Amino acid sequence: MAALTMRDFRSNLATSFDRVDSGERVYIRRNSKLYTLVPVEEDDLSITPALAAKIERARQEYREGKTVSLKSHEDIDQYFESM
């Protein structure tokens, strides 16, 4: 596994992204940490209508007091023991 230094990565941005687009893994070393480039589909960045509906239903349940609030470890234990 070869990793680019930050300097090499900055100098070869387009080449690095082309390599990722062709299916290759590109690693970048910054100090003692190692990172990788990962392509993201635009669909991964947006909230779908189905997810938006679920979020709105959850907000409505919260407004109506149909949720459970667990404020301590004891509350959590009691909740799971009651199941």
Side-chain angles (χ1 to χ4, degrees):
M1 162 185 67
L4 298 171
T5 64
M6 283 299 297
R7 176 178 289 169
D8 290 338
F9 175 62
R10 283 192 306 266
S11 298
N12 300 293
L13 284 173
T15 302
S16 297
F17 286 106
D18 289 342
R19 289 169 58 188
V20 170
D21 288 340
S22 70
E24 187 177 343
R25 285 192 176 184
V26 174
Y27 297 98
I28 303 152
R29 184 171 306 281
R30 181 175 183 236
N31 300 321
S32 62
K33 292 186 178 183
L34 195 61
Y35 299 86
T36 188
L37 291 178
V38 178
V40 177
E41 298 295 326
E42 190 167 329
D43 291 344
D44 295 340
L45 301 175
S46 61
I47 296 176
T48 64
L51 180 56
K54 287 180 182 180
I55 291 169
E56 184 51 40
R57 278 194 307 273
R59 287 179 174 155
Q60 185 63 34
E61 288 175 4
Y62 176 78
R63 286 190 293 270
E64 294 171 359
K66 297 179 179 177
T67 59
V68 176
S69 293
L70 306 173
K71 297 180 180 174
S72 69
H73 292 290
E74 292 79 19
D75 290 348
I76 294 169
D77 290 340
Q78 287 176 347
Y79 177 75
F80 283 114
E81 287 173 8
S82 71
M83 296 180 116

